[in-house]
Amino acid sequence: MEEYRVLEIKQSVFADNDREADAVREGLKARGQYLLNLMSSPGSGKTTTLSRTIEALAPELKLAVMEADIDSDVDAATIARLGAKTIQLHTGGMCHLDAGMCQQGLDGLAASDADLIFLENVGNLVCPAEFDTGACKNACILSVPEGDDKPLKYPLMFQVCDVVLVNKIDVAPYFDFDLEKCRANVAMRNPKARVIPICAKTGEGMGEWYDWLRAEVAAWKQA
């Protein structure tokens, strides 16, 4: 019989990234900047939600955006037209951003006067959830057509998110989507996560989202 060793892994393989993430947050704190990591599946409405948010908050907060994609600058071009300082990050085929990549983006953005910086992460519900980017908080958009069972199928995404925006709530009657079941599924993964039903297209529920962001930025600056 061949002998083999059993190796107990006592240190997270993400330890280096976690240290970098803490350094990113320390830099943000020193500059008085709030960074939100926005994640979701492709087609959930990230860019539309972000566009409406910029339009609503631009009169009161200095905003900047980092757009992360495997390729193209479609989203960055859309956001830049709204007047927010914007940078496009190409991940070179990687399906997520880590803390080091996020810091490179912040350096390239050169928006030291921004109050609120959005990171629109690469669109998927798996890889982005695995890496701490150094953001102050994480947000996830779950669109109605995706189904109310996504928190059960992609648990880590909902475990790491502080707020879940249930987008396209206006079409809920046309899909087999139960908002209360969705809330329960999110709570099963993360009892502290706030669930806000919205429709970025019509504006339904967006006020609650804006208020959450205002409170977050103010609390971060005062802490």
Side-chain angles (χ1 to χ4, degrees):
M1 175 182 285
E2 293 185 4
E3 294 184 359
Y4 59 87
R5 294 193 308 158
V6 176
L7 180 64
E8 293 187 21
I9 305 298
K10 296 182 179 294
Q11 185 176 16
S12 169
V13 295
F14 298 111
D16 288 343
N17 183 76
D18 291 345
R19 283 191 289 269
E20 287 188 82
D22 289 339
V24 171
R25 273 185 289 271
E26 289 174 6
L28 292 166
K29 190 66 176 178
R31 297 188 300 273
Q33 296 180 304
Y34 187 95
L35 173 63
L36 182 79
N37 180 24
L38 184 61
M39 300 176 283
S40 80
S41 298
S44 66
K46 278 199 309 296
T47 305
T48 301
T49 300
L50 190 52
S51 298
R52 300 295 174 266
T53 303
I54 290 170
E55 291 171 344
L57 298 183
E60 55 192 279
L61 295 172
K62 293 180 180 178
L63 306 173
V65 180
M66 295 189 291
E67 289 286 349
D69 276 303
I70 292 174
D71 204 349
S72 90
D73 61 353
V74 174
D75 291 340
T78 299
I79 296 300
R81 286 194 289 270
L82 299 173
K85 191 162 190 178
T86 307
I87 189 171
Q88 179 73 56
L89 307 178
H90 285 165
T91 64
M94 298 181 69
C95 58
H96 66 276
L97 257 68
D98 59 24
M101 296 160 72
C102 184
Q103 184 60 63
Q104 290 181 56
L106 290 169
D107 294 341
L109 187 61
S112 58
D113 61 340
D115 300 303
L116 172 58
I117 302 171
F118 293 97
L119 167 59
E120 184 175 346
N121 216 315
V122 180
N124 76 81
L125 293 178
V126 182
C127 304
E130 297 177 344
F131 292 86
D132 187 347
T133 60
C136 305
K137 291 287 177 70
N138 295 317
C140 173
I141 299 178
L142 169 64
S143 66
V144 164
E146 294 176 78
D148 51 40
D149 59 353
K150 285 300 176 289
L152 304 180
K153 294 183 176 182
Y154 301 92
L156 184 59
M157 174 59 70
F158 295 89
Q159 287 169 11
V160 303
C161 281
D162 302 280
V163 61
V164 177
L165 303 178
V166 181
N167 192 25
K168 305 183 183 180
I169 198 66
D170 57 320
V171 299
Y174 306 102
F175 289 86
D176 186 17
F177 187 93
D178 186 326
L179 180 58
E180 293 312 309
K181 185 181 292 185
C182 180
R183 290 184 186 275
N185 290 340
V186 171
M188 186 185 304
R189 300 305 186 189
N190 184 355
K192 296 182 179 179
R194 183 167 175 176
V195 177
I196 305 176
I198 66 167
C199 177
K201 186 174 181 179
T202 67
E204 180 181 351
M206 294 293 282
E208 184 179 352
W209 163 237
Y210 303 151
D211 288 343
W212 184 87
L213 284 170
R214 291 185 183 103
E216 282 289 315
V217 172
W220 179 253
K221 287 178 176 289
Q222 294 170 6

